[in-house]
Amino acid sequence: MFFNNHLKKKNKVLSHNTTFFSTILAGALIASSFSQSVLASEGEVNLYSARKEALIKPIVDTFSKQTGIKVNLITGKADALLQRITSEGKNTHADVFITTDAGRLYRAKSAGVLQAIKSDELNKAIPENLRDPEGYWYGLSMRARPIFYVKGAIEANELSTYEALADEKFKDRICIRSSNNIYNQSLVASMLAANGAEKTQQWTNSFVKNFARKPKGGDRDQIKGAASGQCDIAIANTYYFGKMITGKKADQKKAAEAVAIFWPNQNSRGTHVNVSGAAVTKYAKNKANAQKLIEFLSTKEAQRWYADVNFEYPVRKDVPASDLLNSWGDFKADTINLNQLGVNNAEAVKIMDRAGWK
Ligand code: FE
């Protein structure tokens, strides 16, 4: 197991081991698990993942089977995991960090806990706008954040762009979650890049006035709010819609069936998209294996599985989306380099605060 292996290697440094155990104790606070695959001769790689075990472990097991590299998987909440890697510093066991939203990947890069890698394979597989320009992180799956509208309450031809949602005719008709949420911060950051600070502030001020209720809950709750008549429009990430419509919870399924997707900004920059992505940590002890794991996750086989199980779009252009996602129609995605969402994050948050977006 991971523990024994580690101790064998590190037992010369007592203080390090002490740190290690306290780290493990601290780690117990985060839902964590170590994969149980057979100890292999090709070494190991330690993966901290903000994706739930069921959404990552099977593909990671395939990687182990194919390469003989053992993967020790720790799962937890995105912000808690980043905090953990940061506080562990040089002693971190994380070799690879997987998290969602380019805003968070940028945050990890800015915190100084990632390192750049050079990989022709990754550069070939992943479109340039879905990875860090300096190689610090790589998008592995793509999600869109379109407009959902209540069928019957709004006609698709009444909708056009995110910008148009600031129009008075949508007063008290929009459900969207809090400005604390990174997805909304990244959406505003993308508008900032497209329209500049002044226009984005004006837009946000008016957009907030159109909220049907004080922001609360997650993306699914916005779709539920729309379906229950609290609003006619909801903003949510596509995979939540996919999970709701295929899931076992009858209320969620019913809510999802009441709404339709509208792809905004099709005649301009395209619909806002974001990624889940992976990075090699700055103090990775198994750097070569870390890179191999990320490269594996960008292969056709892994992309197919990883996108499907998460109800997301593959980042590879040569891997088609699932039938369900294809049924929502083709759309033009904003091709802004997602790094820019991180660069613009602080200003986006200020704009949202000034507009009174709770
Ligand atoms: Fe999410």
Side-chain angles (χ1 to χ4, degrees):
M1 271 294 294
F2 178 45
F3 302 111
N4 296 334
N5 248 2
H6 185 88
L7 289 175
K8 265 180 223 155
K9 269 186 256 162
K10 300 287 179 185
N11 63 4
K12 285 177 207 152
V13 191
L14 187 65
S15 63
H16 183 97
N17 287 341
T18 313
T19 313
F20 175 59
F21 279 118
S22 46
T23 299
I24 287 299
L25 285 173
L29 296 170
I30 302 171
S32 65
S33 63
F34 290 87
S35 72
Q36 301 287 324
S37 57
V38 185
L39 194 63
S41 56
E42 300 304 319
E44 61 185 359
V45 60
N46 300 315
L47 167 62
Y48 283 20
S49 168
R51 307 228 87 168
K52 292 191 188 94
E53 186 168 326
L55 305 182
I56 188 77
K57 188 168 182 298
I59 197 68
V60 153
D61 286 347
T62 305
F63 169 76
S64 292
K65 263 181 227 137
Q66 288 185 8
T67 61
I69 298 166
K70 185 180 171 230
V71 180
N72 303 304
L73 172 66
I74 290 181
T75 58
K77 295 264 183 217
D79 296 335
L81 279 181
L82 174 57
Q83 205 168 17
R84 178 171 169 179
I85 295 170
T86 308
S87 62
E88 285 172 349
K90 286 183 179 164
N91 297 323
T92 191
H93 300 284
D95 298 307
V96 175
F97 180 41
I98 286 182
T99 193
T100 56
D101 203 287
R104 286 203 187 101
L105 289 158
Y106 179 89
R107 223 174 255 168
K109 179 186 174 186
S110 304
V113 299
L114 306 183
Q115 65 173 296
I117 55 170
K118 283 200 181 79
S119 165
D120 291 340
E121 205 176 320
L122 289 174
N123 292 347
K124 225 181 276 167
I126 303 167
E128 206 176 346
N129 64 308
L130 304 182
R131 50 184 160 88
D132 179 63
E134 296 174 323
Y136 279 82
W137 55 261
Y138 294 84
L140 292 178
S141 63
M142 192 180 87
R143 64 279 298 281
R145 195 162 181 74
I147 298 170
F148 293 85
Y149 65 97
V150 179
K151 292 182 264 188
I154 285 198
E155 296 297 324
N157 64 15
E158 293 176 73
L159 298 166
S160 57
T161 59
Y162 297 108
E163 284 78 356
L165 294 180
D167 194 287
E168 271 182 0
K169 74 178 177 191
F170 296 118
K171 190 161 171 48
D172 299 328
R173 297 173 79 187
I174 297 171
C175 284
I176 189 164
R177 69 200 285 182
S178 157
S179 62
N180 288 335
N181 175 256
I182 189 83
Y183 305 149
N184 286 335
Q185 295 172 7
S186 287
L187 172 62
V188 174
S190 77
M191 299 184 75
L192 201 43
N195 304 327
E198 199 179 321
K199 276 191 182 159
T200 303
Q201 184 70 65
Q202 285 166 4
W203 175 81
T204 312
N205 293 346
S206 304
F207 179 60
V208 168
K209 289 193 183 111
N210 290 343
F211 290 2
R213 59 181 189 184
K214 196 175 151 193
K216 59 174 181 183
D219 278 6
R220 291 176 209 237
D221 296 306
Q222 314 314 314
I223 292 174
K224 282 199 226 165
S228 71
Q230 288 192 48
C231 44
D232 297 329
I233 288 168
I235 304 289
N237 284 352
T238 37
Y239 56 88
Y240 289 111
F241 182 63
K243 285 176 184 176
M244 288 171 82
I245 211 138
T246 58
K248 289 193 177 75
K249 289 185 178 154
D251 61 324
Q252 292 198 6
K253 193 173 162 62
K254 206 173 155 214
E257 282 166 356
V259 302
I261 294 186
F262 181 84
W263 302 108
N265 297 71
Q266 293 304 285
N267 298 323
S268 51
R269 67 184 177 277
T271 298
H272 173 62
V273 296
N274 212 311
V275 289
S276 79
V280 178
T281 63
K282 182 169 181 185
Y283 299 109
K285 317 287 185 293
N286 303 290
K287 190 189 164 187
N289 286 349
Q291 180 159 338
K292 271 186 205 157
L293 175 58
I294 299 176
E295 285 171 348
F296 172 77
L297 292 171
S298 79
T299 60
K300 282 188 186 181
E301 176 195 8
Q303 282 282 300
R304 168 84 281 138
W305 184 88
Y306 186 70
D308 283 0
V309 76
N310 288 293
F311 292 96
E312 290 185 273
Y313 296 91
V315 290
R316 283 185 81 112
K317 292 204 169 100
D318 55 358
V319 177
S322 67
D323 291 344
L324 175 70
L325 270 64
N326 280 329
S327 75
W328 302 339
D330 263 347
F331 68 98
K332 176 183 171 186
D334 188 352
T335 55
I336 181 179
N337 188 297
L338 296 189
N339 176 60
Q340 199 58 38
L341 306 181
V343 173
N344 288 355
N345 179 274
E347 198 174 0
V349 170
K350 271 188 217 155
I351 285 174
M352 294 161 100
D353 281 351
R354 276 190 228 115
W357 185 335
K358 299 291 181 212

